[in-house]
Amino acid sequence: MKAKIQEKFEALFGEEGILYASAGRINLIGEHTDYNGGYVFPGAINFGIMAAIKPNGTNTVKLFALDMDEYVEFEVGSEELPSKHWPKYIFGVCHEILKRGGKVEGFNAVFAGDVPHGAGLSSSAALESTFAYALNDLFNNNSIEKYELAKIGQSTEHNYCGVKCGIMDQFASLFGKEGSLIRLNCKTGEYKYFPFHPKGYKLVLIDTCVKHLLADSAYNKRRESCERAAAAIRKNHPEVDFLSDAKRLWLDEVRGEITEEDFIRAEYVIGEVQRVLDVCDALERDDYETVGEMMYQTHFGLSHLYEVSCEELDFLNKLARKCEVTGSRVMGGGFGGCTINLVKEDLYDHFVETAVEKFTEKFGHAPKIYDVVISDGARKL
Ligand code: GLA
């Protein structure tokens, strides 16, 4: 990928660019907890975005997306949002840096990536993080803190792409470290690396290759449900800043005041925050059976309470149970994308073969299999 990117950069701009990269992410557990101030437990993966970038001494940003074979330019500070989707991420990152008093001048860039789109592996966060990291290095002497870079990516989603996401994806993409998952407290920003080398197990993602329409608006609606539930609880317990601060009992107190839908959404979130802590404890004891059981519980919650699963994902989850896979659940925002599976090495081949066969039989197309390796996040190459 490196050579191709540099070759194109030279062809377009007559010199070599400086290379930066960032990664997609997985999340072992802690789904839809980030925007509720709870815990998440992600790691960066060996699928990412790479870019060659160089300041060009003008006020123009010149971008070439190798995978799409598309060229776009815009002026730094211009209010005119690019019409294509992918440049919005880079446009947003530039704006968010400027908004915070940082510096961005014109630059040339060529980028490419191998994070599958729509699979829930955060290809957009990888793109935002690559550029946020690079522009901080090139124009700001790395004076913007890494956590702030993650917020710059998050604000890009909020303000230019219409997704009211949490901080998890951008955080994982920037802070990822080879061989470690990171438990992040999304309320305080405190985080801790957990080495993750489950002996005798593998992590495998199975991509349904479906992305249901309106996923973004459904995502934003989930967030609103949680905010309404938190507001109701706050009336009795003013210390509740986010839903994750609430005890289960406090939710029961407001059952009659909120809709049943908001209630079950909140019920899921409060349970999930606790599951992240339980999984971290279990990992410290090398107790993968408990980790796996929690993953199944999360899937149940995401499917029946939070209602962000779909037929294809539920099918894969049930199949995993049948094949005695240790843990399995829908990963990421939901409404399609992947399941993440923790599977014993000696069951791996049987499970993957069965999943491909049965899924194809049922849905008429094959799922994709990704063996992920926990890798480094944003960096200069
Ligand atoms: C998407 C969002 C994240 C997070 C997950 C669900 O990936 O971008 O912020 O909310 O969904 O856990």
Side-chain angles (χ1 to χ4, degrees), residues 25 30-32 34-35 165-169 219 332-333:
R25 63 105 189 85
E31 220 64 88
H32 291 276
D34 57 357
Y35 52 84
C165 66
I167 192 89
M168 170 171 74
D169 304 347
Y219 180 95

Side-chain angles (χ1 to χ4, degrees), residues 144-344:
I144 309 172
E145 299 248 323
K146 250 206 298 191
Y147 200 80
E148 197 56 35
L149 294 181
K151 285 196 184 156
I152 284 169
Q154 184 193 20
S155 305
T156 295
E157 299 278 351
H158 286 207
N159 300 333
Y160 308 91
C161 309
V163 185
K164 300 288 179 200
C165 66
I167 192 89
M168 170 171 74
D169 304 347
Q170 292 77 13
F171 174 85
S173 185
L174 280 153
F175 285 78
K177 190 162 110 184
E178 195 183 330
S180 286
L181 296 177
I182 326 165
R183 185 183 67 197
L184 170 69
N185 178 330
C186 300
K187 181 174 164 175
T188 62
E190 280 166 283
Y191 59 90
K192 181 179 170 193
Y193 288 96
F194 284 71
F196 185 72
H197 303 285
K199 242 197 168 159
Y201 293 83
K202 282 177 96 157
L203 270 186
V204 60
L205 304 183
I206 306 191
D207 186 358
T208 59
C209 300
V210 300
K211 187 77 202 165
H212 290 283
L213 280 175
L214 301 178
D216 289 352
S217 64
Y219 180 95
N220 294 344
K221 273 194 189 145
R222 297 299 181 282
R223 186 174 180 142
E224 287 160 18
S225 277
C226 295
E227 283 164 3
R228 281 193 297 268
I233 297 170
R234 194 173 301 127
K235 285 191 199 140
N236 301 334
H237 303 279
E239 66 270 44
V240 170
D241 294 327
F242 291 93
L243 186 53
S244 67
D245 297 323
K247 297 199 167 72
R248 177 51 218 265
L249 209 69
W250 300 355
L251 175 63
D252 289 333
E253 289 168 6
V254 297
R255 186 157 200 165
E257 296 162 36
I258 58 178
T259 64
E260 187 57 19
E261 186 175 286
D262 290 354
F263 180 86
I264 56 174
R265 305 291 190 248
E267 186 184 12
Y268 160 76
V269 170
I270 293 173
E272 181 72 354
V273 171
Q274 184 57 44
R275 277 192 288 274
V276 182
L277 297 175
D278 293 346
V279 159
C280 291
D281 286 348
L283 271 186
E284 285 182 327
R285 302 188 303 269
D286 286 334
D287 174 3
Y288 298 106
E289 291 307 310
T290 300
V291 173
E293 205 40 52
M294 293 288 159
M295 291 169 75
Y296 280 110
Q297 282 185 23
T298 294
H299 187 86
F300 181 90
L302 286 170
S303 181
H304 298 283
L305 302 172
Y306 219 63
E307 296 179 288
V308 295
S309 187
C310 62
E311 197 192 346
E312 292 88 347
L313 290 162
D314 288 344
F315 180 85
L316 286 175
N317 182 260
K318 277 207 189 94
L319 198 72
R321 248 309 184 213
K322 248 199 211 150
C323 292
E324 295 180 2
V325 168
T326 307
S328 176
R329 66 178 194 81
V330 42
M331 192 186 72
F335 307 105
C338 293
T339 60
I340 178 169
N341 303 274
L342 180 67
V343 52
K344 286 209 177 95

